[in-house]
Amino acid sequence: MIPLRPLFLAGAALASLALALPARAAEPAGKAKDVGPVSYHRNVRRLFQQHCQGCHQPAKPQGGYVMTSHADLLKVGDHALPGVVPGNAAKSYLVEQLLPQNGKRAAMPKGKPPLAAAEIDLIKRWINEGAKDDTPKSSRVAIDAKNPPVYKLPPVLPSLDYSPDGTLLAVAGYHEALLHKADGSGLVARLVGLSERVQSVAFSPDGKLLAVAGGSPGRFGEVQVWDVAKKRLKHSVAVTFDTLYGVSWSPDGSKIAFGCADNSVRAIESDTGKQVLFQGAHSDWVLGTAFSQDGLHVVSISRDMSMKLTHVATQRFVDNVTSITPGALKGGLLALARRPLPKQTQVKGVDNAMHVYDEVVMAGSDGVPRIYKIHRTVQRVIGDDANKVRQFPGMPGRIFALAFNKDGTQFVAGSSLDGKGEVRVYNANDGKLVSKLENIGAVYAVAFRPDGKQVASAGFDGVVRLSDPATGKVVKEFVPVPLKK
């Protein structure tokens, strides 16, 4: 059965464990002490998840070799050599690929820094000790395209996104992203990947690719890039040791930004998976990102009650977009969306540089949506909130999701309070309420269909609701995952 988990659960078990363990005396230099046999499940598998499985998994078996299960490790790939030979690391092709050969750097991990000597030694020890599989029975369930998740109850749905042409609706599930026809009439594809928790899905500007951000709490974070037409995994990039959030695309589709539970904002190249941005100015989890219209900046929101602006090319933190006045924002920020504006008007910032005028809507724990311009045009004064453009009537509980319509005249917001949810559509220009959908389950995800005539919402009860943004009336609802009777 797929567990029903509340959204945004902490993945900080490792930190708690580290505090609980007694300190060990440092070993003398050069005399590292071996303590018992190496565990595949606890030690070796973690290294493979972080460094190898992005390219060697059922959805992307590079070199014909899969590394997501113990049984697969013992098989041969395209080179017709066994990856792991139990009891003999010297004859294991996997080890050969991790070591420098003929004065050249190690072949694997491809395009990434080589594993540390201590990590390679750990793998070699495990192989020489017999390459035993100590995976508990409870962890032996394999989930991939051939063995997709089995649902006995609808799962929590944390993210939705329409394709730019309005024909598909991507839904975040357990271990997968599901592609549905936009009218809810049928399931088109199940994109099953490594990450247990899928937190965010977003189509590329041209609709050809789907970015998926998530991970396995306390173990690894992952960005997946899927080819929508071929339903094939293009990239899997492992980042940090916890789940990722708030994925977004640059306007030209060349970069993908996302937030991390290590308090950082990052971005990768969509073609190569190479990291091109790291910003560590936040002091809590980063849950949302958005590129500026010209793609030169990234806006990020965090549980630390701040919205920050970062210059992509230099990876430089520029400014706090929101007020730094204590008490101006009551609680962390959970949702963010950039406003599509018809003209790229130039404005002069306080740095005397000309910037494209940009606005975003953000919200969070206090349930109040606010629109901000991202570039400061007046000198900061302690206590001001000069970047704020407009504040909207508050919603019950916390706002977990925001999305604009295509022309930026309206936006939809989803909230949750005491297990009940609400969806509201606001007029972005005058702040008035357009429509309201009440008495539904807690809402964690919303999306505006590109033609502006339909809103999708979903959340804790696992039901996708399609509603009329003008009236709030539900026109269709469906469970996006196949349920086992």
Side-chain angles (χ1 to χ4, degrees):
M1 180 177 123
I2 303 303
L4 293 177
R5 300 173 180 170
L7 198 60
F8 307 134
L9 287 177
L14 293 180
S16 302
L17 180 61
L19 292 174
L21 291 175
R24 288 183 56 190
E27 296 286 351
K31 294 184 179 180
K33 186 176 181 181
D34 295 342
V35 182
V38 177
S39 166
Y40 165 72
H41 183 70
R42 295 192 306 273
N43 307 123
V44 176
R45 186 181 64 123
R46 174 184 60 82
L47 296 176
F48 293 161
Q49 286 177 331
Q50 186 69 17
H51 301 287
C52 310
Q53 291 181 5
C55 295
H56 298 280
Q57 56 171 295
K60 189 184 179 184
Q62 186 169 303
Y65 190 57
V66 174
M67 299 180 65
T68 52
S69 74
H70 179 273
D72 287 322
L73 292 171
L74 307 183
K75 297 178 181 179
V76 300
D78 292 344
H79 290 275
L81 297 172
V84 171
V85 179
N88 197 332
K91 292 186 178 181
S92 298
Y93 187 66
L94 185 153
V95 174
E96 179 183 324
Q97 293 293 289
L98 298 176
L99 296 172
Q101 300 291 333
N102 302 320
K104 298 181 179 180
R105 61 174 292 167
M108 297 295 167
K110 187 176 182 179
K112 296 181 179 180
L115 269 63
E119 294 174 324
I120 296 174
D121 287 343
L122 192 71
I123 295 171
K124 291 167 66 176
R125 273 185 54 204
W126 170 68
I127 295 174
N128 287 330
E129 290 170 358
K132 297 178 181 178
D133 182 10
D134 61 348
T135 305
K137 290 184 178 180
S138 60
S139 301
R140 290 179 184 268
V141 178
I143 295 179
D144 53 39
K146 294 181 179 179
N147 303 283
V150 176
Y151 300 86
K152 293 184 178 180
L153 292 173
V156 173
L157 305 176
S159 183
L160 298 166
D161 193 35
Y162 282 102
S163 60
D165 63 3
T167 61
L168 295 174
L169 178 65
V171 183
Y174 174 76
H175 251 296
E176 65 180 332
L178 302 106
L179 298 182
H180 279 264
K181 293 180 181 179
D183 61 2
S185 62
L187 179 63
V188 176
R190 302 178 68 178
L191 308 180
V192 183
L194 291 179
S195 295
E196 297 171 3
R197 187 77 61 83
V198 175
Q199 295 285 16
S200 181
V201 295
F203 281 99
S204 60
D206 61 9
K208 294 181 179 179
L209 302 173
L210 181 74
V212 176
S216 293
R219 283 173 281 165
F220 66 90
E222 182 191 23
V223 179
Q224 302 168 7
V225 183
W226 291 85
D227 184 311
V228 175
K230 297 179 180 178
K231 303 176 182 59
R232 187 175 67 189
L233 183 65
K234 183 179 179 182
H235 295 301
S236 169
V237 182
V239 185
T240 78
F241 296 97
D242 213 330
T243 45
L244 310 179
Y245 303 88
V247 69
S248 64
W249 288 83
S250 62
D252 63 1
S254 65
K255 301 177 184 68
I256 300 170
F258 49 92
C260 307
D262 67 356
N263 309 343
S264 67
V265 180
R266 305 185 190 221
I268 60 173
E269 292 178 344
S270 58
D271 282 343
T272 66
K274 177 184 176 183
Q275 183 170 295
V276 293
L277 169 64
F278 176 91
Q279 182 260 86
H282 283 287
S283 59
D284 209 329
W285 292 11
V286 179
L287 300 179
T289 65
F291 278 90
S292 58
Q293 289 192 88
D294 56 14
L296 299 180
H297 294 84
V298 167
V299 182
S300 54
I301 51 103
S302 166
R303 300 194 311 184
D304 66 6
M305 295 191 291
S306 75
M307 178 163 57
K308 298 184 184 293
L309 183 68
T310 303
H311 187 247
V312 177
T314 61
Q315 306 183 57
R316 176 176 61 90
F317 164 60
V318 178
D319 192 16
N320 280 311
V321 178
T322 46
S323 173
I324 59 173
T325 305
L329 296 174
K330 299 176 175 62
L333 301 180
L334 307 172
L336 172 70
R338 176 172 60 82
R339 184 180 187 184
L341 295 174
K343 295 181 181 179
Q344 293 190 347
T345 306
Q346 296 284 319
V347 295
K348 187 176 183 180
V350 295
D351 55 0
N352 291 320
M354 297 301 294
H355 302 285
V356 172
Y357 182 82
D358 262 308
E359 291 181 0
V360 294
V361 62
M362 64 81 172
S365 296
D366 63 4
V368 178
R370 298 174 175 88
I371 287 182
Y372 277 79
K373 56 185 178 182
I374 70 172
H375 293 289
R376 178 171 284 273
T377 56
V378 297
Q379 291 292 336
R380 183 185 299 281
V381 177
I382 297 300
D384 78 355
D385 205 3
N387 281 20
K388 186 170 75 172
V389 176
R390 185 169 294 106
Q391 183 167 309
F392 298 81
M395 297 180 66
R398 301 182 179 192
I399 294 177
F400 284 96
L402 294 162
F404 274 101
N405 64 355
K406 190 174 183 178
D407 62 12
T409 58
Q410 297 179 347
F411 69 87
V412 57
S415 73
S416 169
L417 176 65
D418 298 332
K420 295 182 179 180
E422 189 171 295
V423 176
R424 291 188 184 181
V425 176
Y426 292 93
N427 185 308
N429 294 320
D430 60 19
K432 293 182 180 179
L433 180 65
V434 177
S435 67
K436 183 190 299 186
L437 172 59
E438 301 175 284
N439 300 317
I440 56 176
V443 178
Y444 297 144
V446 294
F448 235 118
R449 199 169 68 187
D451 64 3
K453 296 181 180 180
Q454 182 174 287
V455 163
S457 60
F460 187 78
D461 62 6
V463 176
V464 174
R465 293 177 175 85
L466 307 179
S467 57
D468 182 348
T471 64
K473 181 180 178 181
V474 175
V475 296
K476 187 179 182 64
E477 59 182 37
F478 62 96
V479 175
V481 302
L483 295 178
K484 182 179 179 180
K485 294 183 179 180

